Amino acid sequence: MAESVGEGDGGGGSWFPAPPPPIYVCTLSPELVAKAREELQEKPEWRLRDAQALRDMILKPDLRTRLDDAFLLRFLRARKFDYDRALRLLLNYHAGRKAWPQVFQGLRPSAVKHVLDSGFLTVLPRPDPDGRYILCLRPGRWKAEDYPFVDNVRAVYLTLEKLVQPEETQVNGIVILADYSGVGVSQASDPGPFLAKKLVAILQDGFPIRIKAVNIVNEPRIFKGIFAVIKPFLKEKMAQRYTLHSSDLRSLHRKIPRSVLPEEYGGTAAPLDVHAWSGLLLESEEDFVVEFCQPLPPQEEAPSDRDADAFKGSRSQLYSCY
């Protein structure tokens, strides 16, 4: 199976949109501004006011978190600008990090390079017609004897952190394509219900990203057992977004058009490439070191958007790692 570097990209990530600038300026197109207004109840004229309202709520429990507008908007958009639900999501986001140290301690792309090299996951270079990037997971590429399953969770989390940075993703959401080719009994049984519950909790209730669809292909007979472990932890709305295609690529193409799929899945795009996305993550190593550290509490002069330039220059003093 070919896994070459994608079109026009040597791993530098020029195909993936940049995150918002340090001092927040909206990067959404007029079309996405309209979409955010309709689907997320986001009013451009109130955007910064809403971020300030959430910031004021955060100060009450004295949570150690980033307080800049770009970061807070992720949570507001994920919960359609409902302040209480956005705050709960933010609290869950940080609680998950503290509760699962095996995942979050020392988390950075270089620590999961072996997962990225295995082809366990990648992101397709072209979004679908709705502007949603497609996270491609291939569990069959993981072997229990090679490394613990929790390393896969670490790689998925880093990928989600990168995906959610651009405002386009915050509005459009993402799609997951999971290919279960090669998954055997040992791979299916290793994570277990406890790990599955924690992973679902992060994706469903503890991360500010909108998962709009999950497409499963090439699922083996034992997948019913795998899904039986996961399904009790899924909310009904999320469970309804799962589609099982088996080996029927025509069924898959009704959900994801051939134009954005690699040839391995009957698409007309270039062969599946694992190197471009892994290269993008590895080049973001320093950013992730900062992302997975926490700012000092507000009373210790955590930076505001207005101090963004000074903050960027002195972040090593302002942040303390997990």
Side-chain angles (χ1 to χ4, degrees):
M1 183 177 292
E3 293 183 346
S4 59
V5 175
E7 299 174 1
D9 184 50
S14 60
W15 51 274
F16 190 71
I23 297 177
Y24 179 76
V25 177
C26 181
T27 60
L28 296 174
S29 67
E31 293 77 16
L32 284 179
V33 168
K35 182 176 182 178
R37 183 188 290 272
E38 180 181 353
E39 295 186 8
L40 307 180
Q41 288 74 59
E42 177 174 344
K43 298 178 175 61
E45 63 275 18
W46 291 357
R47 189 183 288 124
L48 297 185
R49 184 211 67 173
D50 292 335
Q52 183 60 50
L54 180 56
R55 187 180 296 113
D56 291 341
M57 295 172 71
I58 293 168
L59 295 180
K60 294 178 182 178
D62 194 26
L63 180 68
R64 296 168 63 90
T65 185
R66 280 176 56 182
L67 296 172
D68 56 284
D69 292 329
F71 181 75
L72 298 180
L73 282 169
R74 301 178 188 181
F75 296 87
L76 288 164
R77 287 170 172 147
R79 291 299 180 263
K80 299 186 177 181
F81 283 77
D82 182 315
Y83 297 164
D84 291 331
R85 294 178 65 224
L87 177 61
R88 192 177 313 123
L89 177 60
L90 180 64
L91 293 173
N92 289 344
Y93 173 83
H94 285 291
R97 291 187 176 194
K98 294 178 181 178
W100 207 352
Q102 302 98 312
V103 171
F104 296 105
Q105 283 183 353
L107 182 57
R108 58 193 69 186
S110 60
V112 295
K113 187 177 183 299
H114 55 291
V115 180
L116 301 174
D117 290 343
S118 75
F120 177 86
L121 88 169
T122 192
V123 174
L124 302 188
R126 296 179 183 174
D128 72 5
D130 293 316
R132 307 175 299 192
Y133 277 96
I134 299 164
L135 169 58
C136 182
L137 301 173
R138 295 187 292 171
R141 291 302 184 99
W142 170 69
K143 300 294 185 290
E145 60 269 22
D146 292 340
Y147 58 84
F149 184 82
V150 73
D151 286 2
N152 293 327
V153 179
R154 286 159 64 84
V156 169
Y157 199 91
L158 282 172
T159 290
L160 292 176
E161 284 283 356
K162 190 65 180 177
L163 280 170
V164 81
Q165 286 180 355
E167 293 189 286
E168 294 96 320
T169 300
Q170 295 167 30
V171 174
N172 292 325
I174 65 169
V175 169
I176 294 176
L177 170 60
D179 179 1
Y180 275 79
S181 296
V183 172
V185 175
S186 61
Q187 291 149 310
S189 60
D190 188 276
F194 178 71
L195 199 60
K197 181 179 181 180
K198 294 182 78 169
L199 180 57
V200 169
I202 283 179
L203 296 178
Q204 188 169 248
D205 299 311
F207 197 88
I209 202 164
R210 307 172 70 210
I211 300 175
K212 303 298 292 181
V214 180
N215 294 280
I216 310 292
V217 297
N218 299 319
E219 64 272 19
R221 292 181 180 178
I222 59 172
F223 183 79
K224 289 184 178 180
I226 300 173
F227 196 62
V229 171
I230 298 172
K231 191 171 182 179
F233 310 124
L234 294 174
K235 294 178 179 177
E236 183 179 356
K237 185 176 180 180
M238 179 59 68
Q240 291 173 349
R241 293 178 179 175
Y242 277 68
T243 302
L244 308 184
H245 300 283
S246 189
S247 58
D248 185 354
L249 293 182
R250 288 178 298 179
S251 173
L252 175 64
H253 299 159
R254 287 193 286 271
K255 296 290 185 178
I256 305 176
R258 296 179 63 208
S259 60
V260 303
L261 286 169
E263 60 185 32
E264 288 86 348
Y265 300 108
T268 57
L272 191 66
D273 170 19
V274 302
H275 303 298
W277 184 254
S278 63
L280 189 153
L281 288 180
L282 291 166
E283 289 172 8
S284 304
E285 179 90 1
E286 182 181 349
D287 293 336
F288 276 113
V289 170
V290 174
E291 189 76 15
F292 282 88
C293 297
Q294 289 186 313
L296 295 173
Q299 67 266 30
E300 297 183 45
E301 299 182 354
S304 67
D305 277 349
R306 313 302 180 268
D307 302 319
D309 290 336
F311 160 62
K312 287 184 70 181
S314 59
R315 59 189 176 186
S316 60
Q317 285 77 41
L318 290 166
Y319 279 72
S320 59
C321 290
Y322 280 99

